[in-house]
Amino acid sequence: MSDPKRKKTTARGKRMDPKDREAMIVKEAVLYFAEHGLEGSTRKLARQIGITQPLLYRYFPSKESLIERVYQEVYVQRWNSKWDSLIPDRSQPLKQRLYRFYKEYAAAVYDYVWVRIFVFSGLKGVDINDRYLAIIREKVLEPVCTELRVIGNLPTPEKEPLSEAEIEWVWGLHGMFFYRAIRHFVYGLPMDTDIDAAIENDIDTFLAGAKATQKKILKKAKG
Amino acid sequence: MSDPKRKKTTARGKRMDPKDREAMIVKEAVLYFAEHGLEGSTRKLARQIGITQPLLYRYFPSKESLIERVYQEVYVQRWNSKWDSLIPDRSQPLKQRLYRFYKEYAAAVYDYVWVRIFVFSGLKGVDINDRYLAIIREKVLEPVCTELRVIGNLPTPEKEPLSEAEIEWVWGLHGMFFYRAIRHFVYGLPMDTDIDAAIENDIDTFLAGAKATQKKILKKAKG
DNA sequence: TTCTTTATTTATCATTTGATAATCTAATAA
DNA sequence: TTATTAGATTATCAAATGATAAATAAAGAA
């Protein structure tokens, strides 16, 4: 308050350092488009930021480029490469690995902005989703399938390639997890207070069920 | 082709029977808004129908009222009351009941229009979703919880009310089921060819897992 | 045929929207 | 103080949008 420099870089409306102003615009744009969708107007966005609409065009040549920047902000490096090693790490039980992975993953993606922009983009058919879902398949679904093969004393994927039915089956686990986020951030239902417990329940149920049903599923996949 | 009456009631653009024209508008509006979202323009909709844009306003006083009609068309009576009796019918095993319910339910809601308009509405915060999700809770989640209590030789909901943790848990089963539709109709991923088999796998896995984890979950819910 | 009715189109309006140009003004340097 | 730079606003445009009014034309009645 008494520091004039602080005022200079945070005051709304007037003469801000370009770096700070741009960051401010991006930050607010992320929130604005997450709430109203990518068709939201630049005027209302500007009002939310506390600037005039043409000022947006000093920082971004078009609305499209601003949205592109929003995608960068929300999705780039949203897959943390340290997660890669969690699921395949056989030094501990698969259940523990999945607990850890999905809890850490939840901390990143159980997020208003992340979920809503992802769904908005999906409905619009933006390619961002395809790219991201390919990562999910490669880094989550296929590793989980592989580990389930190991647990079930079944051939490795090298000997017997993963079938679509198996992948589809493991999408079930992921669906338990991610549909919770959709219920909350898209439908507006309340989120369970103990999220970690709910995640553990998903995993417990799926893994216990997997043991009992794996052979049936793989047999059907082959036949 | 040779029947002049047929031409009269299906030709695009000119002098159609009002009932038919209205039906045509609604049918196309459902498809159009499912694809482009509820913010789609009336002009593009009119072009898709093959009529001029002002003609829409002879049949509907406003865009809003047309969308209201679309909601009616898509959601009213989308919960078939005959489903009510499937899950509680103890004359057959729960697994068979769930197979039947979810397969019949899939025939209704694994549908481009249904899923997309539901998600569009959810993002927009329309109350339709809340009302529908309340039905899911009452007609699916709570009955499934109740039946799982019976199978587990646990107190009925009258003696021991259903906890939020239990409901949350059973949302997992529903999430397996419905996230498949989201993957396909929102993200555009291919849908497994054998949908019935995939649904059975969901149910098999959840029920087998339920047996193994139910007590843990209920204990945690109480403590 | 002519008249009447009304489904449909053409013309148009007021707002909103993405975008640009011109103007203003705060900060710094000379 | 004055001049210069550049961040920000005001004014404005062209296209798109929801909506209305007037004009057109197809079908049946007289």
Side-chain angles (χ1 to χ4, degrees):
Chain A
M1 198 82 168
S2 55
D3 181 2
K5 194 162 186 185
R6 172 152 182 76
K7 193 187 170 196
K8 186 167 63 181
T9 54
T10 59
R12 309 186 105 187
K14 299 215 175 135
R15 208 92 196 159
M16 207 176 281
D17 181 86
K19 284 273 181 193
D20 296 336
R21 178 65 85 194
E22 185 178 317
M24 185 185 211
I25 289 173
V26 171
K27 184 186 157 197
E28 294 291 326
V30 164
L31 287 170
Y32 178 81
F33 289 122
E35 176 153 9
H36 300 97
L38 306 166
E39 331 264 297
S41 83
T42 54
R43 276 179 180 74
K44 284 174 188 160
L45 166 59
R47 196 177 311 141
Q48 176 169 313
I49 303 175
I51 61 176
T52 56
Q53 181 248 5
L55 188 56
L56 294 171
Y57 289 83
R58 187 176 179 88
Y59 292 86
F60 297 92
S62 66
K63 182 186 176 186
E64 197 189 333
S65 72
L66 173 56
I67 289 176
E68 204 53 49
R69 177 61 180 280
V70 166
Y71 282 132
Q72 297 293 319
E73 202 69 15
V74 177
Y75 294 111
V76 167
Q77 206 141 3
R78 276 284 183 158
W79 180 264
N80 192 326
S81 59
K82 82 176 181 184
W83 298 334
D84 289 8
S85 57
L86 294 182
I87 293 171
D89 169 24
R90 292 180 191 158
S91 71
Q92 48 181 330
L94 180 56
K95 183 184 280 191
Q96 300 304 320
R97 296 179 245 162
L98 288 176
Y99 279 3
R100 180 149 172 229
F101 166 69
Y102 269 113
K103 286 179 189 177
E104 294 194 14
Y105 188 56
V109 305
Y110 277 8
D111 174 80
Y112 182 87
V113 161
W114 200 98
V115 170
R116 289 179 64 94
I117 293 189
F118 195 76
V119 173
F120 273 121
S121 304
L123 287 164
K124 211 177 165 187
V126 180
D127 62 341
I128 295 258
N129 294 58
D130 291 319
R131 276 187 272 155
Y132 192 82
L133 291 166
I135 293 177
I136 292 293
R137 186 188 170 105
E138 184 194 338
K139 304 289 192 184
V140 181
L141 305 179
E142 289 176 355
V144 169
C145 282
T146 301
E147 297 309 308
L148 288 172
R149 288 271 187 92
V150 171
I151 286 177
N153 283 320
L154 293 162
T156 64
E158 288 94 50
K159 289 203 77 173
E160 185 77 32
L162 298 176
S163 66
E164 281 309 305
E166 268 176 290
I167 296 287
E168 178 71 27
W169 178 46
V170 176
W171 265 122
L173 170 64
H174 202 77
M176 289 175 148
F177 171 84
F178 199 71
Y179 193 61
R180 177 173 297 114
I182 290 179
R183 274 152 44 209
H184 184 59
F185 296 113
V186 176
Y187 302 158
L189 295 184
M191 175 88 85
D192 195 283
T193 48
D194 193 343
I195 294 173
D196 281 356
I199 290 172
E200 289 189 9
N201 291 341
D202 292 344
I203 294 165
D204 288 352
T205 302
F206 186 85
L207 284 184
K211 275 178 190 148
T213 60
Q214 181 176 43
K215 272 159 200 158
K216 176 182 171 187
I217 286 158
L218 295 217
K219 196 187 296 173
K220 201 179 287 177
K222 283 178 85 173
Chain B
M1 199 82 170
S2 56
D3 181 0
K5 196 162 186 185
R6 173 154 181 76
K7 194 185 171 198
K8 187 166 64 182
T9 54
T10 58
R12 310 187 104 185
K14 296 216 177 135
R15 205 98 194 154
M16 205 175 282
D17 181 86
K19 283 273 182 195
D20 296 336
R21 179 64 86 193
E22 184 177 317
M24 185 185 211
I25 290 173
V26 171
K27 183 186 159 199
E28 293 291 327
V30 164
L31 286 170
Y32 178 81
F33 288 122
E35 176 153 8
H36 300 96
L38 306 166
E39 331 264 296
S41 83
T42 55
R43 275 178 180 76
K44 284 174 187 160
L45 166 58
R47 196 177 311 140
Q48 177 169 313
I49 303 175
I51 61 176
T52 56
Q53 180 249 5
L55 188 57
L56 294 172
Y57 288 84
R58 187 177 178 88
Y59 292 87
F60 297 92
S62 66
K63 183 187 174 185
E64 196 189 332
S65 71
L66 173 56
I67 288 176
E68 204 53 48
R69 176 62 178 279
V70 166
Y71 280 133
Q72 297 294 318
E73 203 70 13
V74 177
Y75 293 112
V76 167
Q77 207 139 1
R78 275 283 181 155
W79 179 264
N80 192 324
S81 58
K82 82 177 183 186
W83 297 334
D84 289 8
S85 56
L86 294 182
I87 294 171
D89 170 23
R90 291 178 191 161
S91 71
Q92 48 181 332
L94 180 57
K95 184 183 279 192
Q96 300 304 321
R97 296 178 245 161
L98 288 176
Y99 279 4
R100 181 151 169 225
F101 167 69
Y102 270 113
K103 285 179 188 176
E104 294 194 14
Y105 189 55
V109 305
Y110 277 8
D111 174 81
Y112 182 85
V113 162
W114 200 99
V115 170
R116 288 178 64 95
I117 292 190
F118 195 76
V119 174
F120 273 122
S121 303
L123 287 164
K124 211 177 168 187
V126 180
D127 61 342
I128 296 256
N129 294 58
D130 291 319
R131 277 188 272 154
Y132 192 82
L133 292 166
I135 292 177
I136 293 293
R137 187 187 169 105
E138 184 194 337
K139 304 289 193 186
V140 181
L141 305 180
E142 290 176 357
V144 169
C145 282
T146 301
E147 297 309 308
L148 288 173
R149 287 272 187 93
V150 171
I151 287 176
N153 284 318
L154 293 162
T156 64
E158 288 95 49
K159 289 201 75 173
E160 184 78 33
L162 298 175
S163 66
E164 281 308 305
E166 268 176 290
I167 296 288
E168 178 71 28
W169 179 45
V170 175
W171 266 123
L173 170 63
H174 202 78
M176 288 175 148
F177 171 84
F178 199 71
Y179 193 61
R180 178 173 297 113
I182 289 178
R183 273 152 44 208
H184 184 58
F185 295 113
V186 176
Y187 301 159
L189 294 185
M191 176 88 85
D192 195 283
T193 49
D194 193 344
I195 295 174
D196 281 356
I199 290 173
E200 288 189 11
N201 290 343
D202 292 342
I203 293 166
D204 288 352
T205 303
F206 187 85
L207 284 183
K211 274 178 191 148
T213 59
Q214 181 175 43
K215 272 160 200 158
K216 177 183 172 187
I217 285 158
L218 296 217
K219 196 186 297 173
K220 202 179 284 177
K222 283 178 84 172

